[in-house]
Amino acid sequence: MFEQLGLIGCGLMGGSFALALKKAGLVKRVVGYSKSPSTTERARQMGVIDVEAPSALLAVSGADLVLLAVPVSATETTFKAIRHLVGPNTLIMDVGSTKREVIDAARRVLRDQVGVFVPAHPITGKELAGVENADPDLYAGRQVILTPIERTQPAQLDKAHAVWTALGCHVKQMSPEAHDAAYAAVSHLPHMIAFALMNAVTGQSQGEEFLSLAGPGFRDFTRIAASDPSIWRDILMSNREELLAQSRHFQRALHAFETAIAADNPDALESLIDRASTSRAHWRMSAIKPRS
Amino acid sequence: MFEQLGLIGCGLMGGSFALALKKAGLVKRVVGYSKSPSTTERARQMGVIDVEAPSALLAVSGADLVLLAVPVSATETTFKAIRHLVGPNTLIMDVGSTKREVIDAARRVLRDQVGVFVPAHPITGKELAGVENADPDLYAGRQVILTPIERTQPAQLDKAHAVWTALGCHVKQMSPEAHDAAYAAVSHLPHMIAFALMNAVTGQSQGEEFLSLAGPGFRDFTRIAASDPSIWRDILMSNREELLAQSRHFQRALHAFETAIAADNPDALESLIDRASTSRAHWRMSAIKPRS
């Protein structure tokens, strides 16, 4: 049980975390701050937070748990804003989709106190951002990746494990480097591809007509293309090297399809599809969410 | 009301069509044929068809409605097998995802009788093929594209409109060329990309680890990668020119993302994402299926 959650960023991810903690009876008080005062006010009106803080620093004042739920690019500024009230027993976590840049920022700003920060990435989300879409069950049944560094304090890491587990998450621990490589492959690249496909279609003169004909396969394939532009600008930028490396892997794989097709080689094409289809048919998402 | 549906191909698409016609009370008798006798037998045991035919020709004998639900590459052989029993009042349709090759095959084989053939493409499907997944509601609420040619008989075209409409479909008519271009963009290319992404991930030494970390975005993006290899080999092959043209559009769009990222230009990147996100957020699938 935490006395106070200091929530910095009261959007979809932060708001859902506050609601989940409250639902699980794990926190007495949530003090929230968002860059936009109207968001903070909305969060209080919705009962996502109990008290509006006029600054990130004041949200942290008195908090034994701090969640940074801000765009990855705002991490360093946020650490700077709160560093003076970070105590030795505070647990600070983030929810960023990339980890190396976030950790670099934490090292630079928190310095000797960096051990209280446990970098976290919950594998969940919605295309609809904003506190109005906050959902106490957003994290239930999902994976959460923790990427501690050598200086992370064991007590803080244990508390981080405990809180996510109590929210019904499956906690996994890995290095920041391994994390960033994996999510470049299975999340950041798919997003970039889905964005690019939308632009490729709408950039053609018959684009609108094409879109009007699209069916359920297109719907699911492009769902992630509706994601928030500034959030995803940050994610793609902050993991650029891994992302570009994964994009090269993908383009080689795509080229193999084009080569088989252009060479009029149906056997080669079928064997490429068969490999993909078999892997996908056997894949199951870890920590399957019990509700739909 | 049709006297007899001659169903050639008793898999997911054909079996679902037979079940839908029966559910709507539009057919007295379904005579079915599949290349694999065990499929035909299974279809009869499941009540998808009423009578097993030992050949495609015998399924057509006495039929006033014929549905070809075979892989696109089997179309010509199937037309050859049935041509001798095609009467002037028979309505023949297919359900193929590409139309030009199917129509060329119909012209070559049916010749003077080609007017009884109404090329059709229902925009629906499942990753799980086979008669065991046949579903009387597979077509309900979906779009069906008809691509008649100048020789298509108006009476047959009217009947085709009527039968799909009676199954709850939204019928749209367009040229075979426009159809193939549009579906290269919104269906065939997304499938090829999803296949290539799976192969790009699994082709890396950490591929299995990467897959174990993937979440709901990956799940939806790659759903279509589990599609049937031989069916999709045919579709991609039979629409190869449009597909390769669309792939070039896509690769240019992807390159724009890579350029913005490599140039460390977050504004350019955000504007690319914003364009994609806005188009996708405004897109709605036509003829939305009432059930989930």
Side-chain angles (χ1 to χ4, degrees):
Chain A
M1 169 65 102
F2 292 94
E3 286 294 319
Q4 180 184 319
L5 167 65
L7 180 63
I8 303 173
C10 301
L12 172 70
M13 300 297 282
S16 297
F17 183 78
L19 290 175
L21 274 192
K22 286 179 170 212
K23 188 179 170 188
L26 290 171
V27 67
K28 290 193 186 157
R29 187 171 63 251
V30 177
V31 179
Y33 167 77
S34 273
K35 203 171 139 194
S36 145
S38 66
T39 300
T40 322
E41 192 185 341
R42 186 88 188 267
R44 190 188 44 76
Q45 284 165 348
M46 290 175 61
V48 168
I49 64 172
D50 304 307
V51 179
E52 295 174 50
S55 69
L57 183 66
L58 288 170
V60 169
S61 174
D64 47 353
L65 174 60
V66 172
L67 191 77
L68 267 59
V70 298
V72 170
S73 66
T75 309
E76 185 152 2
T77 313
T78 308
F79 278 132
K80 283 180 182 162
I82 66 172
R83 63 193 286 188
H84 298 295
L85 286 180
V86 170
N89 298 313
T90 315
L91 166 61
I92 308 183
M93 295 190 290
D94 75 322
V95 294
S97 296
T98 63
K99 299 273 62 104
R100 280 188 295 190
E101 281 206 0
V102 166
I103 289 167
D104 287 347
R107 284 185 202 270
R108 278 193 300 270
V109 180
L110 300 180
R111 299 174 183 236
D112 287 352
Q113 289 177 296
V114 74
V116 302
F117 174 58
V118 179
H121 176 203
I123 312 307
T124 187
K126 281 188 192 176
E127 306 77 71
L128 300 167
V131 70
E132 53 275 20
N133 295 298
D135 172 358
D137 296 321
L138 186 68
Y139 299 102
R142 298 301 194 196
Q143 288 198 96
V144 173
I145 314 297
L146 302 180
T147 62
I149 55 175
E150 69 290 350
R151 296 184 58 190
T152 307
Q153 292 175 17
Q156 255 67 358
L157 184 57
D158 288 349
K159 272 196 271 187
H161 267 274
V163 65
W164 290 110
T165 303
L167 298 186
C169 301
H170 173 75
V171 180
K172 186 155 184 162
Q173 200 171 307
M174 57 199 296
S175 74
E177 292 73 23
H179 170 280
D180 285 1
Y183 286 96
V186 299
S187 173
H188 311 160
L189 176 61
H191 276 79
M192 183 166 79
I193 290 172
F195 296 140
L197 183 85
M198 285 305 301
N199 288 353
V201 174
T202 60
Q204 296 174 60
S205 57
Q206 319 99 301
E208 284 300 313
E209 165 79 357
F210 289 175
L211 287 182
S212 76
L213 295 163
F218 180 87
R219 176 195 60 202
D220 292 352
F221 182 82
T222 59
R223 181 179 66 78
I224 53 177
S227 297
D228 185 86
S230 64
I231 299 280
W232 279 91
R233 171 202 64 197
D234 276 10
I235 294 171
L236 301 188
M237 275 296 175
S238 85
N239 201 18
R240 75 189 74 168
E241 278 168 38
E242 294 291 354
L243 174 61
L244 295 175
Q246 286 299 329
S247 187
R248 287 189 292 272
H249 281 290
F250 163 70
Q251 287 172 62
R252 274 196 294 274
L254 187 66
H255 189 65
F257 280 81
E258 293 185 320
T259 303
I261 291 167
D264 199 7
N265 189 339
D267 292 342
L269 178 61
E270 183 171 355
S271 120
L272 290 169
I273 299 175
D274 190 58
R275 184 143 63 89
S277 178
T278 303
S279 333
R280 182 55 181 76
H282 288 99
W283 178 79
R284 290 289 172 274
M285 195 163 72
S286 296
I288 287 164
K289 203 164 183 174
R291 61 191 199 99
S292 76
Chain B
M1 169 64 101
F2 293 94
E3 286 294 319
Q4 180 183 317
L5 166 66
L7 180 64
I8 304 173
C10 302
L12 172 70
M13 301 297 282
S16 297
F17 184 78
L19 290 175
L21 274 193
K22 287 179 170 211
K23 189 179 170 189
L26 290 171
V27 68
K28 290 192 186 156
R29 188 171 61 252
V30 178
V31 180
Y33 167 76
S34 273
K35 203 170 138 194
S36 145
S38 65
T39 300
T40 323
E41 191 185 343
R42 186 90 189 266
R44 190 186 47 73
Q45 285 164 349
M46 289 175 63
V48 168
I49 64 172
D50 304 306
V51 179
E52 295 174 48
S55 69
L57 184 65
L58 288 171
V60 169
S61 176
D64 46 354
L65 174 60
V66 171
L67 191 77
L68 266 61
V70 298
V72 170
S73 66
T75 309
E76 185 153 0
T77 313
T78 308
F79 278 133
K80 283 181 181 161
I82 65 170
R83 63 192 287 188
H84 298 296
L85 287 179
V86 170
N89 298 313
T90 316
L91 166 61
I92 308 184
M93 295 190 292
D94 75 321
V95 295
S97 295
T98 62
K99 300 273 60 105
R100 280 188 295 192
E101 281 207 358
V102 165
I103 289 167
D104 288 347
R107 285 185 202 270
R108 278 194 298 271
V109 179
L110 299 180
R111 300 176 183 235
D112 288 352
Q113 288 177 297
V114 73
V116 303
F117 174 59
V118 179
H121 176 203
I123 312 306
T124 187
K126 280 187 191 175
E127 306 77 71
L128 299 167
V131 69
E132 53 274 22
N133 296 297
D135 172 358
D137 296 320
L138 186 69
Y139 298 103
R142 298 302 194 195
Q143 287 198 97
V144 173
I145 315 297
L146 302 181
T147 62
I149 54 175
E150 69 291 348
R151 295 185 57 191
T152 307
Q153 292 175 17
Q156 255 67 359
L157 183 57
D158 289 349
K159 272 195 273 187
H161 267 274
V163 65
W164 290 110
T165 303
L167 298 185
C169 300
H170 173 74
V171 180
K172 186 156 183 163
Q173 200 170 306
M174 57 198 297
S175 74
E177 293 72 24
H179 170 281
D180 285 2
Y183 286 95
V186 298
S187 173
H188 310 161
L189 175 62
H191 275 79
M192 184 166 78
I193 290 172
F195 296 139
L197 183 85
M198 286 304 302
N199 288 354
V201 174
T202 59
Q204 297 174 60
S205 57
Q206 319 100 301
E208 284 300 312
E209 166 78 357
F210 289 175
L211 287 183
S212 76
L213 296 163
F218 180 87
R219 175 196 59 201
D220 292 352
F221 181 83
T222 59
R223 181 179 65 79
I224 53 177
S227 297
D228 184 86
S230 64
I231 299 281
W232 279 90
R233 171 203 64 199
D234 276 10
I235 293 170
L236 301 188
M237 274 295 174
S238 84
N239 201 18
R240 76 190 73 169
E241 279 168 37
E242 294 291 353
L243 174 61
L244 294 175
Q246 288 298 329
S247 187
R248 285 190 293 273
H249 281 290
F250 163 70
Q251 285 172 63
R252 274 196 294 274
L254 187 66
H255 188 66
F257 280 81
E258 293 185 321
T259 303
I261 291 167
D264 199 8
N265 188 339
D267 292 341
L269 178 61
E270 184 171 354
S271 120
L272 290 169
I273 299 175
D274 190 57
R275 183 144 63 89
S277 178
T278 303
S279 334
R280 182 54 181 78
H282 288 99
W283 177 79
R284 289 291 171 274
M285 194 164 72
S286 296
I288 287 161
K289 204 166 183 175
R291 60 193 200 96
S292 75

